[in-house]
Amino acid sequence: MKAGRGISLQRGFNCRDLGCYPTCDGLTVKAKRLIRAGYLSDLNFRDQKKLYDYGIRTVIDLRSPFEVRKFPDLIDNRIQYIKMPISNEDLTESTVNVRNLVGQLTDKKAGHHQMVQTYQRLLTDSTVWLSYRHFFLNLVEAVGQWRSVSLFNWEG
């Protein structure tokens, strides 16, 4: 299996299996254990079923409370849903009104600049550090217990 293999969804976005990536100790992440997705609020029934059939039994939502309210995930009701916001703010500006973005559309590097600012904030905000620590400690704790696939959702 290729690292970062995409999972094709009709109405989902940026969904991929993080299996087969190398770890710092020379091992690899097991396939079908950790999935990343960026947008689950428009999933149709077929997409929800595909994720369940893939083995996903837990969705960990890292988005801000505002993002979750504005764009609630549509997932199979047999899947456990855990809210674990990294920040109380929409760090990726995924909920920004399109009219607010019009000025940025003329700058071909606007998306790049916005992501650099977001990543700088992720590296310098101690609240974000603590949230990620909580997230990763939960993943580490789950490693010995994994009998199913976990998906985490972050718009960034």
Side-chain angles (χ1 to χ4, degrees):
M1 179 178 181
K2 180 180 157 190
R5 186 183 78 152
I7 299 170
S8 179
L9 301 172
Q10 293 176 340
R11 307 280 310 272
F13 176 72
N14 202 9
C15 186
R16 60 186 182 270
D17 191 325
L18 298 182
C20 299
Y21 278 105
T23 63
C24 63
D25 59 0
L27 301 174
T28 57
V29 176
K30 276 188 154 185
K32 289 190 148 193
R33 289 292 184 258
L34 187 61
I35 311 301
R36 186 258 191 253
Y39 198 76
L40 301 175
S41 63
D42 281 341
L43 296 182
N44 59 27
F45 177 76
R46 183 176 283 163
D47 290 337
Q48 292 176 39
K49 182 179 181 327
K50 185 172 190 173
L51 292 175
Y52 186 83
D53 290 348
Y54 195 80
I56 292 171
R57 298 299 182 267
T58 305
V59 168
I60 303 169
D61 198 335
L62 303 178
R63 300 174 300 154
S64 71
F66 178 74
E67 292 170 279
V68 171
R69 279 192 308 278
K70 187 161 182 166
F71 301 106
D73 285 346
L74 298 175
I75 56 173
D76 187 297
N77 62 8
R78 297 171 290 180
I79 295 174
Q80 178 186 17
Y81 176 77
I82 301 171
K83 290 181 191 175
M84 197 180 293
I86 293 301
S87 174
N88 286 323
E89 301 173 44
D90 176 10
L91 296 177
T92 62
E93 299 181 11
S94 65
T95 58
V96 172
N97 187 309
V98 174
R99 286 186 212 142
N100 295 342
L101 296 175
V102 170
Q104 295 179 20
L105 294 177
T106 56
D107 179 359
K108 293 181 181 188
K109 294 188 177 185
H112 172 78
H113 293 305
Q114 188 268 334
M115 288 310 297
V116 167
Q117 289 174 341
T118 297
Y119 290 132
Q120 286 174 337
R121 176 100 184 268
L122 292 173
L123 292 171
T124 59
D125 186 319
S126 61
T127 304
V128 172
W129 294 351
L130 292 173
S131 297
Y132 271 117
R133 178 173 164 55
H134 177 69
F135 170 66
F136 285 113
L137 285 174
N138 276 279
L139 286 180
V140 168
E141 185 178 308
V143 166
Q145 303 168 24
W146 270 346
R147 287 161 187 64
S148 62
V149 184
S150 295
L151 179 147
F152 69 95
N153 180 15
W154 183 46
E155 297 299 321

